[in-house]
Amino acid sequence: MTRFPDTIHFTGLNTPVGIEWSARNLEVIGEIPPEIDGAFFRAVPDPAHAPMFEDDIALSGDGMIGKFTIQAGKVDYAIRYVETARYLAERTARRALFGQYRNPFTDDASVAGQDRTVANTTPVWHAGRLFMTKEDGLAYEIDPDTLDTRGRWDFYGALKSETFTAHPRIDPETGEMFFFGYEAGGLCSTDVAYAIADREGNLVSEQWFQQPYCSTIHDFTITQHYAIFPIFPTTADLDRLKAGGPHWAHQQDLESWVGIMPRYGKVEEMRWFKGPRGVSAFHFMNAFEEGELVHLDICLSDTNAFGFMREAGGIQRAQHEIQGGLTRWTFDMSQPGEAFESRVIGPPGDMPRLRDADQGRMYRAGWYLTINPQGGPPLPGGPVGVAFNMLMRIEPGNGRIDALPLGPSMAINEPVHVPAADGEGWLLAVVDQRSGEDSFASELWVIDAGDIARGAVARVPMPLPMRAQVHGTWVSAAELAKAG
Ligand code: V55
Ligand code: FE
C-alpha cells in the first residue's frame, strides 16, 4: 500500500502528520502563570509509512514524542519520532515492513524476529530519565533535551521481562517505580513480571506470576501496601495469530479477575478476586486504603471500548451503545473469599488524571474526559476513533462533579496536571477544533485544575496540525535538572 487507508484510523484527528518540527516562543493568548515551569511530554502515534494492510489501526502508529517547554510564560514546542528498531528499518526501506497490530506472523520476511514495538503510548519520567513506552516491548530512552532516541531500556541488562507497561506507578514518598510487563515470556504467554525500580532507577525486584488467561493488562495500580492487577476478558491466542488474525478478541462471557498482593511481598501472596463477566477498563484513576479496605477507582465499561477488539470477539455494538462509569471496587482484605463490592461514583469516561502526590492515597479530586451528550457529534480521532469533548473534575468523597464542555466540533486530549504552591494547580491539554472538511487547528490550553468550568486561562495556537495524542506527562524544571 502506498497511500494511507480512508478509514477512521487515518482520517479526522488521526490524519497522519509525519513532520518532525520545532518552534520557539509560540503566540500566547492570555497569561501563563509563571509557576508553570517545566515540560509537558506527549506520546503521539503517527505512522511514518502507509501500512501494509488496509485494516491497520491507530494503535500501530510510530511513536512520536512531543514536548511543550514552558518557562516564564513562554512556550516552545518540538516533536520527533522515537527511533525504534522498527522505525529505523522502515525508514531505510522507505515503506512499511511490519504488518498487523501485534502480529509478527504478518510481517515482511526481512524483519523476522525484530523488535516490533512503536513506543507510542506514554512518556514516563523516572530517576532523571525519560522513556517512551508501549506495552508490547521494552521502553525506549529519550534525551529529554533534544528528544534524540538513546535506545531500548533494560535496566542495565537486569530486566528479564520482554515487555514494560505503558502505565508504571511512582510512589510520591519513596520515589520508587512499580511496574509490570505482561506476555513477559513471549507472545501470548500468561507470564506477568512484577518489578520495582528504586528512586535511583535501579531494578531491585522482579518476580513473575501467571495470570488466569492471556489478557491485555493495560494499567495497574498501587496503594501504600498493595499492588493491584486487573484481568479483563480480552484475550490473545497464538493459533489465531499464526493464522494472520488479530491479537486481541474480547470475550463477553468470560469472568474478570483482580489480583492483589503486598507491594513488597511475594507473588505467591497474590489474592484473586472474581469480577463481573465481559467488563473492561483500560485506565485506573487511583487506589487507596481505608483500614482493611482497598478502594480501586476505574473507568469501567460493560464491554471493550475498542471496536476492533469487540469485533474479533463477535460482539456487535456501536461505540455510543457502550455503558459504563467511573466505578469504585472495594476489597475487604480482612475477609476470605473472592467477592468484592462495586458502585458507580461518576459518569462514563476515560483518561483519568491525578495529582502525582495523591498516587496510592486517599484523594480529594481527580480529572477525566468524557463525551458530552449535548455536545453534538464527537470529532473522529484518537485510539478508539471518537474524540472526547468534555473535561470533568470529580470529588469522589462527596460526589461533586464539575465540567468543562467544549463547543461543537471540538476535542480535548488527555491533560497533564501541574502542581502549584496554593490551590489545586493547573491542567495542560491540547484542544482541537475542526477548521475545514478534513482539517483541524489545535491549541494548548492552560486550565485552573480547581475551577475547570472557567475554561482556559491561557491558550497557545499551534502553527501546524497535531495528530491525536495518547498519554502525556509533566516534568517540572527541577526534575528536568536531574537528567542524566
Ligand atoms: C492502548 C493504547 C495502545 C495500545 C494498547 O489506550 C492499548 C490503550 C497507543 O497504543 O497499543
Ligand atoms: Fe493507557
Side-chain angles (χ1 to χ4, degrees):
M1 200 173 278
T2 53
R3 50 190 300 276
F4 288 100
D6 189 19
T7 65
I8 186 70
H9 299 278
F10 301 94
T11 54
L13 291 165
N14 285 339
T15 304
V17 177
I19 305 172
E20 298 184 286
W21 62 280
S22 66
R24 284 174 62 81
N25 299 315
L26 297 168
E27 178 196 359
V28 178
I29 300 167
E31 216 163 299
I32 296 181
E35 66 187 343
I36 301 181
D37 186 11
F40 168 14
F41 293 102
R42 315 171 68 230
V44 183
D46 196 335
H49 303 89
M52 285 174 68
F53 297 95
E54 177 82 26
D55 59 351
D56 199 21
I57 58 172
L59 303 185
S60 290
D62 292 296
M64 295 191 87
I65 179 155
K67 179 190 185 186
F68 285 101
T69 306
I70 306 181
Q71 187 190 33
K74 301 287 191 190
V75 181
D76 305 334
Y77 189 68
I79 184 162
R80 301 269 311 271
Y81 277 107
V82 182
E83 296 189 353
T84 59
R86 170 173 171 154
Y87 170 79
L88 292 173
E90 294 188 340
R91 189 172 74 175
T92 301
R94 293 185 182 271
R95 66 180 178 90
L97 300 170
F98 293 80
Q100 300 278 13
Y101 179 70
R102 298 187 68 176
N103 187 343
F105 303 102
T106 61
D107 293 348
D108 190 278
S110 66
V111 294
Q114 283 198 33
D115 182 17
R116 302 183 87 254
T117 194
V118 284
N120 69 359
T121 311
T122 311
V124 170
W125 176 267
H126 185 242
R129 290 179 195 270
L130 177 66
F131 304 101
M132 278 285 277
T133 60
K134 187 179 185 75
E135 63 199 50
D136 67 346
L138 292 182
Y140 272 78
E141 190 188 0
I142 307 292
D143 183 318
D145 193 30
T146 62
L147 305 185
D148 283 338
T149 301
R150 290 177 172 162
R152 254 193 306 268
W153 182 248
D154 61 6
F155 295 86
Y156 309 102
L159 189 69
K160 301 287 182 294
S161 176
E162 294 178 15
T163 60
F164 180 95
T165 176
H167 291 285
R169 299 273 175 172
I170 295 169
D171 187 285
E173 277 166 56
T174 69
E176 294 160 307
M177 177 167 67
F178 297 83
F179 65 94
F180 67 95
Y182 72 90
E183 300 192 25
L187 208 56
C188 302
S189 73
T190 51
D191 304 318
V192 182
Y194 166 53
I196 307 172
D198 67 15
R199 63 188 311 146
E200 273 80 48
N202 298 302
L203 189 73
V204 292
S205 156
E206 178 179 4
Q207 305 179 68
W208 287 31
F209 66 90
Q210 300 297 313
Q211 56 162 324
Y213 44 78
C214 182
S215 79
T216 169
I217 313 183
H218 184 67
D219 194 358
F220 95 129
T221 192
I222 55 165
T223 66
Q224 288 177 276
H225 297 97
Y226 297 105
I228 305 172
F229 298 88
I231 311 296
F232 299 112
T234 303
T235 61
D237 180 79
L238 196 56
D239 289 331
R240 187 169 65 225
L241 287 184
K242 287 180 178 165
H247 195 109
W248 298 120
H250 192 66
Q251 299 195 49
Q252 204 60 46
D253 298 326
L254 198 58
E255 271 139 356
S256 55
W257 293 91
V258 179
I260 304 183
M261 61 172 278
R263 74 182 201 182
Y264 298 115
K266 297 253 173 294
V267 289
E268 290 74 24
E269 296 173 80
M270 187 84 75
R271 265 189 71 177
W272 289 101
F273 294 85
K274 194 186 283 187
R277 294 174 192 273
V279 297
S280 174
F282 277 87
H283 299 113
F284 297 179
M285 175 76 85
N286 200 7
F288 63 94
E289 293 161 46
E290 185 184 351
E292 294 287 307
L293 301 180
V294 172
H295 300 293
L296 173 63
D297 294 351
I298 65 183
C299 297
L300 190 70
S301 48
D302 62 352
T303 187
N304 194 297
F306 286 92
F308 68 91
M309 299 188 196
R310 291 196 300 278
E311 281 151 29
I315 301 158
Q316 307 301 331
R317 200 108 79 83
Q319 209 64 27
H320 65 268
E321 291 169 342
I322 298 174
Q323 313 271 310
L326 182 67
T327 303
R328 175 163 293 179
W329 282 356
T330 298
F331 307 85
D332 187 342
M333 302 306 286
S334 72
Q335 297 298 315
E338 297 180 333
F340 61 87
E341 299 285 314
S342 174
R343 75 189 165 94
V344 174
I345 59 171
D350 204 353
M351 312 314 249
R353 297 311 310 222
L354 197 65
R355 297 186 327 139
D356 288 342
D358 288 337
Q359 178 65 67
R361 276 101 179 131
M362 172 99 75
Y363 63 112
R364 194 169 100 99
W367 299 266
Y368 63 114
L369 304 180
T370 194
I371 293 176
N372 177 7
Q374 273 86 51
L379 291 184
V384 302
V386 180
F388 293 106
N389 58 14
M390 186 155 91
L391 172 66
M392 286 184 295
R393 174 185 175 279
I394 185 163
E395 292 184 18
N398 58 30
R400 176 182 165 151
I401 291 169
D402 296 286
L404 172 57
L406 299 175
S409 301
M410 294 178 78
I412 182 165
N413 295 264
E414 184 185 81
V416 288
H417 177 264
V418 183
D422 307 305
E424 253 174 50
W426 308 95
L427 301 177
L428 308 177
V430 172
V431 171
D432 313 293
Q433 177 149 33
R434 188 185 284 285
S435 58
E437 201 184 321
D438 204 23
S439 60
F440 302 88
S442 300
E443 294 181 339
L444 174 68
W445 281 23
V446 180
I447 299 162
D448 182 340
D451 188 8
I452 63 169
R454 223 170 94 209
V457 301
R459 296 184 287 123
V460 182
M462 300 303 290
L464 282 170
M466 310 274 274
R467 200 170 193 256
Q469 167 199 318
V470 186
H471 299 294
T473 197
W474 171 255
V475 184
S476 69
E479 272 295 317
L480 283 172
K482 298 178 190 162

